[in-house]
Amino acid sequence: AQVTLNWTNSSSADFVQTIVRYRTDGKFPVSPVDGFAAVTKTGAPGSADSFVHSGRTNGTTYSYSVFAQDASGNVSPAATVSATAQDTTAPSTVQNLRRGDKKP
């Protein structure tokens, strides 16, 4: 199962990276060191970005906090979202299916 996160990076000229943290206890991480690390990504200021958090447990709710960090190490307040992991495997197509019973 997986969770896909999409966001727009801070438009601040000194933006350096986005830090994504998560918890599974119903609480959002309150700082860039709280909870568990999902990903830290560099990117251009104001650009769209995303992350696929794979290997998650199907049906489990994950609480994410996303922080922007600037070149001086300052961190923004968290943007938060909760998501429930879902299996993305589509069922296989069945072909040449035949009934096994016969008419009397």
Side-chain angles (χ1 to χ4, degrees):
Q2 66 184 30
V3 173
T4 301
L5 302 170
N6 298 293
W7 66 87
T8 301
N9 290 328
S10 168
S11 58
S12 177
D14 63 346
F15 167 78
V16 175
Q17 63 186 3
T18 299
I19 302 164
V20 181
R21 306 287 295 191
Y22 72 96
R23 292 174 65 158
T24 58
D25 61 359
K27 299 177 183 178
F28 293 105
V30 296
S31 74
V33 295
D34 185 25
F36 301 98
V39 68
T40 299
K41 293 185 78 175
T42 58
S47 65
D49 210 338
S50 64
F51 171 67
V52 177
H53 200 190
S54 59
R56 304 297 89 207
T57 301
N58 196 30
T60 298
T61 299
Y62 294 84
S63 300
Y64 293 91
S65 292
V66 181
F67 303 90
Q69 186 173 29
D70 69 16
S72 299
N74 299 310
V75 178
S76 71
T80 60
V81 67
S82 289
T84 301
Q86 296 180 359
D87 188 357
T88 59
T89 306
S92 300
T93 302
V94 177
Q95 296 178 357
N96 298 325
L97 181 63
R98 296 189 178 155
R99 290 179 57 169
D101 60 334
K102 296 184 181 185
K103 283 182 143 181

